[in-house]
Amino acid sequence: MSHKTILVLLDGLSYQVAEHAMGHLQAYVGAGKAALYKLECELPALSRPLYECILTGVAPIDSGIVHNNVSRLSNQRSVFHYASEAGLVTAAAAYHWVSELYNRSPFDAARDRHTAAPHQPIQHGHFYWSDHYPDSHLFADGEDLRLRHHPDFLLIHPMNIDDAGHKHGLDSSQYRNSARGADVILADYLQGWLDAGYQVLVTADHGMNNDRSHNGLLPEEREVPLFVLGSAFSLDPNAQPKQTDLCGTICHLLGVAHDKPACRELLT
């Protein structure tokens, strides 16, 4: 198995909103071309620890990235490491914490904003540092990387849903509409990615609560969506993926050796 793969990480998207607000993604589900699963995020339900969890398969309590202010390179092996060391091309359009985890820390905007580093785990990157950086721009950054560098693994990580949740809370029109807006933007790209042979996973790190935060055990904080689209996915409704399975599952898709947990039931 060797498939190019795109991981879309919609920061802060709670499952309960994803289930009703992502009309375009749900159209693929309704047509039998995608599946939606409910994941429970690891603890703590915070961004930097869960970027690390998703991309390395290691829970925060074991990775040592236990809160957002732990600013250092990861000491774990990520999808970017496995892919680049196997000779594949890696890219990310993402929040600057991803660059700090896998390329260089601390982030230096002048040096690291636009990355062309063939010997780093993330070889090609566009990184941002403002939570209100428009999702439309971030997706365009990701598509620029895809068209110019043809990456085998591409991470696309917009922040506006999380930003709206911190400003207005879970039960707000602003939060729900930010999720709808991300779904509309995805509609501009998804079919083109699938036609180009990419396998696509769309998920979130954590959810959001009505206190305009996240870090606890409430379902709206911990339950996040996983949409999968592409010919390599089984669409098995009985599959039970875990957040810690995503790294290994993506490595299976890429066809690279790894030692991470994976959800084989997700794949054909």
Side-chain angles (χ1 to χ4, degrees), residues 161-182:
I161 297 170
D162 184 71
D163 188 47
H166 284 299
K167 291 174 177 172
H168 305 285
L170 171 74
D171 188 18
S172 68
S173 60
Q174 293 90 343
Y175 180 74
R176 292 187 294 269
N177 284 335
S178 188
R180 295 177 181 117

Side-chain angles (χ1 to χ4, degrees), residues 11 44-54 60 63 65-73 95-102 105 205-206 214:
D11 206 289
L46 293 170
S47 292
R48 196 190 300 245
L50 296 178
Y51 305 162
E52 171 81 337
C53 177
I54 290 166
S63 73
I65 307 294
V66 291
H67 57 72
N68 286 339
N69 294 325
V70 178
S71 179
R72 61 163 170 82
L73 282 173
Y95 198 62
H96 70 288
W97 290 351
V98 174
S99 176
E100 288 187 328
L101 281 168
Y102 306 114
S105 183
D205 46 353
H206 54 73
H214 49 84

Side-chain angles (χ1 to χ4, degrees), residues 91-169:
Y95 198 62
H96 70 288
W97 290 351
V98 174
S99 176
E100 288 187 328
L101 281 168
Y102 306 114
N103 273 14
R104 299 191 223 192
S105 183
F107 180 81
D108 182 315
R111 179 191 65 192
D112 301 326
R113 163 90 168 106
H114 301 293
T115 293
H119 302 299
Q120 292 279 14
I122 305 173
Q123 297 160 351
H124 306 284
H126 296 312
F127 297 103
Y128 67 99
W129 56 93
S130 295
D131 292 12
H132 59 275
Y133 183 73
D135 284 2
S136 58
H137 292 40
L138 188 278
F139 275 96
D141 290 342
E143 186 70 348
D144 170 72
L145 293 169
R146 187 183 75 86
L147 294 175
R148 287 204 290 144
H149 302 292
H150 309 286
D152 297 283
F153 176 61
L154 170 61
L155 170 66
I156 297 179
H157 171 221
M159 188 67 77
N160 289 175
I161 297 170
D162 184 71
D163 188 47
H166 284 299
K167 291 174 177 172
H168 305 285

Side-chain angles (χ1 to χ4, degrees), residues 175-251:
Y175 180 74
R176 292 187 294 269
N177 284 335
S178 188
R180 295 177 181 117
D183 181 73
V184 170
I185 297 168
L186 270 167
D188 281 333
Y189 297 103
L190 264 177
Q191 193 58 52
W193 296 343
L194 296 170
D195 291 345
Y198 279 90
Q199 310 303 305
V200 181
L201 303 91
V202 181
T203 191
D205 46 353
H206 54 73
M208 187 63 61
N209 62 36
N210 275 323
D211 295 333
R212 299 177 293 178
S213 65
H214 49 84
N215 185 27
L217 278 69
L218 295 174
E220 56 267 34
E221 296 175 77
R222 294 197 69 187
E223 293 175 356
V224 297
L226 173 64
F227 292 90
V228 296
L229 308 92
S231 60
F233 290 107
S234 66
L235 310 185
D236 180 356
N238 297 313
Q240 297 182 320
K242 299 178 181 178
Q243 194 170 51
T244 49
D245 292 337
L246 294 179
C247 172
T249 302
I250 292 169
C251 286

